[in-house]
Amino acid sequence: GYTDNMRSIGVADMARAIQQKSANRCNVKMAYHVLEVMHAFLESSESGKHIRIESSCERPAALPLNLIQGQLVV
């Protein structure tokens, strides 16, 4: 399962987390970290210097293997 274009799986996972009042894989700390890294790429490219990344985030657990299409849990 999930071998095709599954762009909406992140939104579905977020909706499930909200319904179950559990942690969301793509949370604000991760979004901030990704934004900082993207900004550092740009700044490094323009300045030719290394940019120190100050933020960090926990790597979320992967989705389970062998999911059936339409499911987020085994």
Side-chain angles (χ1 to χ4, degrees), residues 55-69:
S55 68
S56 66
C57 64
E58 275 190 46
R59 183 178 184 171
L63 287 169
L65 296 175
N66 302 320
L67 291 174
I68 297 169
Q69 187 166 350

